[in-house]
Amino acid sequence: MGPLTGVKVIEIASLAPAPFGCTILADLGADVLRVDRAGGGGLAMPPGVLDRGRRSIAVNLKSPEGVQVVRDLAAVADVFVEGFRPGVAERLGIGPAPLLGINPRLVYGRMTGWGQDGPLAQRAGHDINYIAVAGALEPVGRAGQRPHAPQNLLADFAGGGLMLALGVVSALYERDRSGEGQIVDAAMVDGAALLTTFLHGMHANGLWEGERGTNALDGAASFYDTYETSDGKFVAVGCVEPQFYAELMSRLGLDEHEQPYQLDAAAWPRMKKLIGDTFRRKTRAEWTEIFADSDACVSPVLSPWEAHEHPHNRARGAFVEVGGVLQPAPAPRFSRTTAGHPVPIDHGGRHPARTLTSWGINEAEAVRLHETQVVS
């Protein structure tokens, strides 16, 4: 039973960030009910990794009865999450005002790219746009090359879904003291900007002044980079501290005292070539074995499809199989309120009337709503 056991969450179906946030809540024990949009050409989500741990119903949000179903569910929920552009939930009749009017203790989570206000609030965008404006994209890339988008991890998931989950949990904690719910405005551009806090601190102290790819932690330093091995794979080197750098030199068979000072930036290109030439003499597996019991901070660069095979990940159970699909396990971990093993969406089958009844809807009314396709 996870730490959020007993918390009831309504999730209006959307893409990527909000579902990831609700997956975190479900992993931690919350009872998450996803509401797909039916009857109006709206978003109907196929089963996938980001919908584990939920039950689901499809509701016609363009009908007054469908809207009333959502309001009735919100009346007994702890959390409501939507990922519409600003104003859409209001037009559907399920915005914060009516729902908080029905249930003043409700935590209303809003997941958007640009936030609920500001010049860009109504504009379309994706992860790459949000991190561009947040200042999180420009520093990523090699020297002399254009910025390189790090997939859609920074805004969609770290700055978006994860921040949404944190905001929801924080609002629930505050509600225990005040007795009142509130709105959580989770904007991916805000979250992505927050992720650059460390860079701002480095810059303020004169430690991050160079162009992209010329600083110690963005690929310029010989002791903080990736190197190709003889089989065309890669290892990651991150030996920032001098004692760890000394260990790297020793394991590579290089005499540290014959090499330039570790922090001599002018010598980094030459050291990169030397270290790179050395790593290319053996395979990734061979180097992994050489550095297995070392503090040199050298790790194999694994693909997402290899990571579950690493002995450390196996020992920690960092990956689990859910519905026949291998995927990351819930995190973080708790000593008492251990989260259960995730299950697929609608584990055991989709039963709209039964689901409505479990959420407090009168059984006869639940059956009628299902039979009339208000809930399908």
Side-chain angles (χ1 to χ4, degrees):
M1 304 289 282
L4 295 185
T5 296
V7 173
K8 299 173 79 70
V9 179
I10 298 172
E11 171 196 4
I12 303 298
S14 59
L15 295 173
F20 179 59
C22 290
T23 294
I24 294 172
L25 301 178
D27 283 348
L28 298 181
D31 180 1
V32 179
L33 174 59
R34 193 182 78 191
V35 177
D36 294 328
R37 296 177 65 184
L43 184 67
M45 298 294 293
V49 172
L50 286 182
D51 61 16
R52 71 190 187 195
R54 298 155 166 77
R55 290 179 288 176
S56 71
I57 57 175
V59 178
N60 185 349
L61 293 179
K62 292 193 174 181
S63 75
E65 278 197 298
V67 171
Q68 188 58 49
V69 167
V70 174
R71 290 182 176 185
D72 290 343
L73 293 171
V76 297
D78 297 289
V79 180
F80 184 93
V81 173
E82 53 93 351
F84 298 118
R85 287 199 206 189
V88 173
E90 283 81 355
R91 290 196 294 274
L92 289 171
I94 54 173
L99 298 195
L100 283 165
I102 296 167
N103 180 1
R105 290 175 53 83
L106 185 68
V107 172
Y108 193 109
R110 316 199 79 169
M111 182 79 261
T112 61
W114 302 113
Q116 295 299 311
D117 50 35
L120 296 175
Q122 291 296 335
R123 301 282 70 81
H126 282 291
D127 187 292
I128 194 169
N129 307 115
Y130 310 136
I131 64 175
V133 172
L137 175 58
E138 193 278 338
V140 181
R142 292 292 184 180
Q145 299 181 14
R146 65 182 188 273
H148 180 72
Q151 304 171 52
N152 64 328
L153 298 176
L154 293 184
D156 279 358
F157 299 109
L162 187 59
M163 291 297 174
L164 170 67
L166 175 61
V168 164
V169 171
S170 299
L172 288 172
Y173 174 77
E174 192 278 337
R175 188 185 70 174
D176 282 346
R177 291 174 291 166
S178 68
E180 298 180 8
Q182 61 181 306
I183 301 167
V184 178
D185 177 2
M188 286 175 260
V189 67
D190 296 345
L194 183 61
L195 295 175
T196 68
T197 301
F198 173 74
L199 296 183
H200 283 271
M202 295 280 283
H203 179 71
N205 286 280
L207 300 176
W208 199 286
E209 298 289 352
E211 297 295 324
R212 174 175 54 257
T214 64
N215 302 281
L217 300 183
D218 65 358
S222 57
F223 54 82
Y224 204 88
D225 205 352
T226 59
Y227 292 95
E228 189 173 5
T229 55
S230 65
D231 53 352
K233 298 179 180 179
F234 294 86
V235 294
V237 174
C239 48
V240 177
E241 294 79 1
Q243 67 272 27
F244 301 155
Y245 183 73
E247 178 71 6
L248 171 72
M249 293 290 101
S250 174
R251 295 287 175 127
L252 289 177
L254 302 174
D255 188 339
E256 180 189 8
H257 301 293
E258 294 181 0
Q259 310 306 330
Y261 175 51
Q262 175 186 356
L263 299 181
D264 180 0
W268 286 346
R270 179 162 63 86
M271 287 304 299
K272 274 197 172 189
K273 184 178 186 312
L274 177 60
I275 294 172
D277 289 345
T278 304
F279 272 117
R280 273 190 288 269
R281 295 173 186 164
K282 298 180 186 294
T283 66
R284 186 184 70 180
E286 290 174 317
W287 286 118
T288 299
E289 180 65 26
I290 289 170
F291 286 99
D293 61 346
S294 164
D295 273 345
C297 304
V298 175
S299 307
V301 177
L302 304 176
S303 76
W305 337 123
E306 295 177 288
H308 69 281
E309 299 173 346
H310 192 280
H312 186 80
N313 291 333
R314 284 206 307 267
R316 299 240 341 138
F319 292 83
V320 295
E321 191 172 288
V322 181
V325 178
L326 191 69
Q327 53 198 266
R333 305 173 189 210
F334 298 84
S335 62
R336 280 191 305 103
T337 54
T338 303
H341 191 287
V343 296
I345 189 169
D346 296 315
H347 192 48
R350 194 182 218 190
H351 304 285
R354 189 186 306 168
T355 297
L356 289 175
T357 302
S358 72
W359 271 63
I361 303 296
N362 176 273
E363 184 176 355
E365 176 65 4
V367 171
R368 186 191 71 80
L369 291 168
H370 187 206
E371 290 177 345
T372 58
Q373 295 294 294
V374 174
V375 176
S376 60

